[in-house]
Amino acid sequence: DIIDYNLSTCMYRRPELALGGAIALLGTITGRKVRDSRGTRTNVYVLGLGLSGSGKDHARVINKDILIEAGAAGEKMLGPERIASSAGLITSVCESNAILFQIDEMGRLLQTMQNPGKSPHLFNIGTVLMQIYTSSDTRWKADAYADSKKNKTIQYPHLCIFGSAPPKQFYESLDYENISNGLLGRLLVFESSER
C-alpha cells in the first residue's frame, strides 16, 4: 500500500526507491516488536540511488507524512535528517524506542566519514552505525566520558536509515576500507532506473 501510494502521487515513478523507502518505514514501525528466534530485528539501513532531479526524495516525503499523520508516537520515530556527530546520533537513538533517519546526500556523508583528520566528529559515525546495527538484540554501551552522567546505555537499539544519493557520488565514496569494514554490507542499496 505504501508503494502504491508513493507511485500514485509522484512526479517520476521510481518503484525501486518506493520499495526501499517502504522497507525502511516498516522496519521502523515494527522496531522492538518483531524478532526471529536468533534475535534478528527489523533495523535496516537502506540507500536509494537516483540522479539529481529524478524524484529520489519522494519516498522520504511519504515516510515523513505517514509518521506525522500517526501522531505523537509516529513523530517520535522520525529522526533528524542530518548527522552532525556520533554523539548526536547516539543521543537520538537513546531517546526513541525505534527511530528512522532519512538522510539526503548520503554519499557525501560517507565521503566525509573517511577522513579522521579533517572531520573526527564525523569519522566515528561509521563505527557507531555498525555497532548499533549489530547490537539490536542486546544492550549497547556508548562512549565513556569523564562525566559518567553522559555515558549512555541503550537496550535493544533500533535505528533504521533511509538515505539517498546520486549513484556517481555514492560509488566514488567507496574505497577498500568501507567495503571491507562491514558498513557497506549492512546497506540495502536500491538504484533507480534513469528517467
Side-chain angles (χ1 to χ4, degrees), residues 52-188:
S52 291
S54 67
K56 63 184 180 295
D57 65 325
H58 190 64
R60 286 195 320 271
V61 171
I62 297 294
N63 288 350
K64 190 185 301 186
D65 290 348
I66 289 171
L67 289 175
I68 290 169
E69 285 295 318
E75 285 197 51
K76 191 171 182 182
M77 291 179 180
L78 190 57
E81 295 182 33
R82 294 181 48 150
I83 304 172
S85 68
S86 59
L89 171 64
I90 292 165
T91 298
S92 293
V93 173
C94 194
E95 292 176 353
S96 181
N97 283 335
I99 192 165
L100 173 63
F101 279 61
Q102 299 198 107
I103 303 167
D104 193 16
E105 304 302 334
M106 193 153 165
R108 180 174 288 177
L109 175 63
L110 292 170
Q111 286 174 337
T112 309
M113 286 170 25
Q114 293 174 4
N115 191 339
K118 207 172 183 181
S119 305
H121 59 290
L122 296 178
F123 181 72
N124 291 326
I125 291 172
T127 302
V128 170
L129 288 174
M130 290 187 291
Q131 290 176 349
I132 286 175
Y133 184 92
T134 305
S135 300
S136 67
D137 63 342
T138 188
R139 179 177 297 186
W140 183 74
K141 291 184 172 252
D143 299 341
Y145 291 98
D147 180 359
S148 63
K149 293 176 186 166
K150 292 182 179 180
N151 297 343
K152 293 184 167 55
T153 300
I154 307 170
Q155 184 74 19
Y156 307 124
H158 196 91
L159 168 64
C160 292
I161 295 175
F162 182 58
S164 61
K168 185 173 190 269
Q169 183 186 67
F170 171 68
Y171 291 124
E172 287 177 354
S173 75
L174 298 180
D175 64 9
Y176 177 79
E177 184 179 336
N178 63 18
I179 291 172
S180 64
N181 71 10
L183 183 57
L184 186 62
R186 290 167 172 84
L187 287 175
L188 298 173

Side-chain angles (χ1 to χ4, degrees), residues 39-50:
T40 307
R41 309 283 174 146
T42 60
N43 55 311
V44 291
Y45 296 171
V46 180
L47 180 61
L49 303 178

